[in-house]
Amino acid sequence: MKTEIVARRLDAIRAEMKKVDLDAFIVPRADEYLGEYVPERNERLQWASGFTGSAGLVVVLADSAAVFVDGRYTIQVRQQVPESLFEFHHLVEEPHAQWLANTLSAGSRVGYDPRMHALKWQLETKALLAKKQIELQEVTENPIDRSWDDRPAPGKAPAMLLDEVYTGQDSVSKRQQIGELIASKGADSALISQPDSIAWLLNIRGNDVTHVPILLGFSILGSDGKMAMFTDLDKLPEDIDEHVGEGVTFHAEETVATALEDLGKRGAIVIADPEATNAWCQLLVKDSGGTLIADSDPVLLPKAQKNATELAGMKDCHINDAAAEIRFLAWLDKEVTQGNLHDEALLSDTLGSFRLQQEGCMGLSFDTISAAGSNGAMCHYNHLNATPAKLELNNLYLVDSGGQYLNGTTDITRTVIIGEPSADHKRMFTLVLKGHIALDQARFPLGTTGSQLDVLARQFLWQEGFDYDHGTGHGVGCFLSVHEGPQRISKVPNTIALKPGMVVSNEPGYYKEDSYGIRCENLLVVKTCEELSDAETSMLEFEALTMVPFDLRLVEASMLTNSELRWLNDYHTRVQEKLSPLLGEDDQVWLQQATRSI
Ligand SMILES: [Mn+2]
């Protein structure tokens, strides 16, 4: 963005700050729903700075400003945000609250919009600043909203009612189930503010942000299963009441404040997630007399454990999705053979178009990572941030992509060789693949968490002195968010045990700076291990949902054990059997050799 435009916007924010006597104002990437994606209308951070990344924060002071981003965006932020107007800081290593405490003098007033921050952030930041006699002051009107003249209007895309054919459980019984959980914690109700939790509870989907089919809004769920939903009523289809069944009332979103205050006035005991629900909602309840129980969103765990209908849908959509991915990989091989080294954008668009042609595909589940050669070394590379690079002969191409289907959500990464692989390519790819296989084959007792299993995927890399700087697996929703909690497979300690029906990704990788990136990602579902008839305790295992071959040209067979070779050959046999009938003749021939036994 032009420096003059950003300068003018900062001036406008400062003028608003002056009116309410603020020395600083904090602008996070978030909006009031605190989700991963925000609609264009709520891209306040971008408006104030020009920065388009998915995480970051700006602090505006009276005569300077600072932008905080993490390691993914250190290059991008310098390309997008004017250096003459902003200082650059690291989001994690130089936390903004500490920076404010060090920068401002005692008696300063720091403004924040309580809608845009979690309660946990509010409590921690307030305490930290108070140590330096700095006051964290909430604003009632966001200075950006007051200054943003051409702010996009709210979206009006209608919500969609998702049939029980896809959800497997009606809204009444879901609300009853969560209501009982709320009662068991001694609460009267819970604030359900995460739009994917709301979508799951009501069996609805929306079109308010890219990549996640959610309807934005807030809700209050009672221990009796009754739910009040606050959203844009214009988006609701006529037959919504019939669809959700008894016990749901719909209200205009503006009335949520009154409803939260009423809860407080009644002295209600309310479960609210300090990290997931904004400070504004929670403080309205508390300050009007209610009691907050800090606990995670009660929908998370039941939503994570997919029921039989959802699992059948997830399996089916992964077969459809694999057909698109295989068609793409076959096309890519042919193009490279013909000497066509396409650029990352054309490759991403081609894969996207194949995917969108699949039955039931409603869109992509995230921005495709299409990374040629050294770009693959950046885990969150986006070819749209700069000129898309062309495929590099005798180097790797990494493509991480996924789709939203009526019956499920997919996420797959494949790494393929363009031309001839080096010994180093094969060695590192095989170490990553061995980790992928080890995690896929794991058996573990009930109660095991993802962080206990994480090492299985890293062990072979560690053994030879390598690692990767990201988690091994995240939960995945069913026609919902591709990144879903509460379980994950990561070095970061996590207390959530893996349970049957949970879907997680298995995505170890290896990244060689300025050279290439490797990632092998399948989605897995957790299930009871039936094979062990003499098991002394209840054992769980994984089943792969993703059905796409790994590039055998990158496999150094001599590094695989017999059991790993058998896994790879068995997996490829399954891929061949399931996918061949869905492909055209040429793609069948390609798949035949791509899944050959080694
Ligand atoms: Mn993933």
Side-chain angles (χ1 to χ4, degrees), residues 180-198:
E180 281 163 24
L181 277 176
I182 294 169
S184 75
K185 307 237 171 178
D188 309 312
S189 48
L191 300 187
I192 311 289
S193 68
Q194 298 186 76
D196 59 337
S197 292
I198 297 173

Side-chain angles (χ1 to χ4, degrees), residues 561-573:
T561 64
N562 285 338
S563 144
E564 288 163 344
L565 272 173
R566 193 160 52 235
W567 181 95
L568 189 59
N569 288 331
D570 286 353
Y571 176 72
H572 280 165
T573 304

Side-chain angles (χ1 to χ4, degrees), residues 366 400 411-413 474 476 482-483 505 507 519 521 523:
F366 58 97
D400 185 352
D411 181 3
I412 169 176
T413 309
H474 53 85
V476 178
V482 78
H483 298 132
S505 66
E507 49 179 312
R519 188 156 62 247
E521 178 183 25
L523 296 192

Side-chain angles (χ1 to χ4, degrees), residues 204-491:
I204 56 174
R205 296 295 184 266
N207 208 355
D208 288 348
V209 298
T210 49
H211 303 320
V212 193
I214 47 174
L215 172 71
L216 295 174
F218 294 96
S219 76
I220 302 167
L221 180 66
S223 56
D224 56 1
K226 292 204 172 112
M227 182 166 166
M229 167 75 183
F230 302 85
T231 188
D232 180 348
L233 299 174
D234 293 347
K235 292 178 188 167
L236 301 174
E238 263 175 31
D239 44 350
I240 182 86
D241 291 323
E242 195 187 326
H243 177 76
V244 298
E246 241 172 74
V248 186
T249 51
F250 293 93
H251 312 265
E253 192 165 333
E254 307 80 75
T255 64
V256 71
T258 317
L260 293 167
E261 280 168 348
D262 286 347
L263 263 188
K265 284 177 196 159
R266 290 207 314 264
I269 302 170
V270 181
I271 292 175
D273 189 328
E275 292 184 61
T277 299
N278 72 46
W280 179 77
C281 284
Q282 305 209 35
L283 293 173
L284 278 173
V285 175
K286 192 169 159 232
D287 295 345
S288 51
T291 304
L292 293 175
I293 296 183
D295 200 1
S296 57
D297 177 341
V299 171
L300 292 189
L301 213 45
K303 170 161 62 66
Q305 285 182 262
K306 276 69 184 165
N307 63 37
T309 306
E310 290 171 318
L311 284 179
M314 284 294 263
K315 280 184 190 171
D316 282 351
C317 79
H318 273 81
I319 302 290
N320 271 335
D321 197 66
E325 179 92 11
I326 288 169
R327 201 179 149 201
F328 170 73
L329 293 173
W331 169 85
L332 175 60
D333 263 3
K334 199 173 95 215
E335 291 297 300
V336 172
T337 310
Q338 292 173 358
N340 298 325
L341 298 178
H342 294 302
D343 74 38
E344 296 160 338
L346 189 140
L347 297 170
S348 165
D349 293 348
T350 303
L351 174 56
S353 76
F354 288 174
R355 189 168 259 127
L356 289 168
Q357 286 169 32
Q358 293 303 310
E359 195 193 326
C361 186
M362 307 297 282
L364 304 184
S365 55
F366 58 97
D367 285 329
T368 300
I369 299 175
S370 167
S374 59
N375 289 335
M378 294 179 265
C379 302
H380 296 269
Y381 176 73
N382 187 335
H383 59 270
L384 300 174
N385 288 336
T387 311
K390 286 196 165 178
L391 288 173
E392 213 178 294
L393 202 59
N394 304 330
N395 203 343
L396 301 175
Y397 171 64
L398 182 155
V399 58
D400 185 352
S401 65
Q404 291 288 6
Y405 295 79
L406 283 170
N407 52 355
T409 301
T410 68
D411 181 3
I412 169 176
T413 309
R414 286 296 179 266
T415 306
V416 296
I417 184 66
I418 305 302
E420 293 297 321
S422 67
D424 178 54
H425 289 145
K426 291 176 77 169
R427 174 189 178 212
M428 298 316 299
F429 182 88
T430 308
L431 289 176
V432 171
L433 183 64
K434 282 166 80 78
H436 179 97
I437 294 171
L439 182 60
D440 181 282
Q441 288 193 302
R443 285 172 176 159
F444 46 96
L446 217 57
T448 304
T449 69
S451 34
Q452 287 174 290
L453 298 184
D454 181 77
V455 62
L456 294 175
R458 296 182 199 268
Q459 57 182 317
F460 304 101
L461 286 162
W462 282 3
Q463 207 61 25
E464 302 207 9
F466 307 103
D467 198 7
Y468 50 93
D469 190 14
H470 59 73
T472 300
H474 53 85
V476 178
C478 188
F479 189 31
L480 278 176
S481 176
V482 78
H483 298 132
E484 176 180 281
Q487 78 281 10
R488 61 187 297 213
I489 300 174
S490 155
K491 283 182 190 174

Side-chain angles (χ1 to χ4, degrees), residues 68-72 74 88-99 102 469:
F68 297 76
V69 299
D70 64 37
R72 290 175 286 172
T74 43
F88 300 109
H89 294 286
H90 195 285
L91 191 67
V92 185
E93 287 159 21
E94 304 169 88
H96 63 279
Q98 192 57 54
W99 181 83
N102 297 343
D469 190 14

